[in-house]
Amino acid sequence: YLPFTTERRVAQKEDRVLIAGYPALIETLNGIKKNLYLVSTLATVEELFTFDDSTLDLFSVGGTIASQEGASGGAAVNDRGELMGVIVTSTHATSSLDRKLRALSLEHIDRALAAETGATLTTYLQGNLSEMQKAFETNLSPALASYVLQQFEE
């Protein structure tokens, strides 16, 4: 596993980051099973975004071979080898080199987890994941499932 960092403002404009994931434009399950390959490349942080006043919540990296649909969930890794973000979206363009990938910072994920659950990302990852899974299935999953089903009914 990669070490990770939730430190504040871990990304700065012009930082080099490693982007890795399994981007795919494949539409069928069989195609995904047979034609899904790991892609990794270096990219440059181009933009920093905040959902608040002074936090780093999202950052954008320039277009690369990894800038394809299906890249969501991929890793953004800093020059110290630490996971610093998770790819969540991209801009639209004909060429992958013209698309920008956007990654949620682990700083943001850590803050959001703490606000919603009272526990930080470190607490979760160093804790008993089996117990946490059981608690999630008992306490949160029924309400979330109900909410999702309601959205389909509307």
Side-chain angles (χ1 to χ4, degrees):
Y1 298 101
L2 281 176
F4 65 93
T5 181
T6 58
E7 73 182 58
R8 288 183 50 89
R9 302 297 250 167
V10 70
Q12 300 295 322
K13 285 186 180 181
E14 304 300 318
D15 282 356
R16 299 288 284 167
V17 295
L18 175 79
I19 301 297
Y22 293 89
L25 293 174
I26 302 163
E27 306 256 340
T28 66
L29 182 58
N30 193 40
I32 290 172
K33 287 179 180 177
K34 294 185 177 190
N35 298 310
L36 194 60
Y37 300 99
L38 175 65
V39 172
S40 65
T41 188
L42 292 175
T44 302
V45 174
E46 294 185 348
E47 296 177 274
L48 306 173
F49 301 95
T50 183
F51 301 145
D52 199 2
D53 290 331
S54 62
T55 58
L56 172 64
D57 298 303
L58 190 77
F59 56 93
S60 176
V61 297
T64 69
I65 187 132
S67 303
Q68 301 176 45
E69 289 190 31
S72 295
V77 179
N78 67 20
D79 61 356
R80 297 185 308 252
E82 301 165 320
L83 180 66
M84 59 186 270
V86 177
I87 298 167
V88 293
T89 189
S90 70
T91 59
H92 294 284
T94 304
S95 166
S96 62
L97 297 179
D98 294 328
R99 291 184 206 124
K100 310 290 186 217
L101 287 177
R102 303 255 163 80
L104 272 178
S105 70
L106 290 193
E107 172 190 344
H108 171 78
I109 294 169
D110 187 58
R111 248 188 353 270
L113 269 175
E116 293 292 325
T117 69
T120 65
L121 183 60
T122 301
T123 301
Y124 274 101
L125 295 178
Q126 291 179 346
N128 184 327
L129 295 179
S130 294
E131 284 183 21
M132 287 182 214
Q133 177 187 359
K134 288 176 188 172
F136 176 83
E137 289 172 352
T138 302
N139 302 325
L140 293 173
S141 183
L144 291 173
S146 176
Y147 175 78
V148 169
L149 290 174
Q150 287 174 356
Q151 301 311 304
F152 284 112
E153 292 171 359
E154 291 180 3

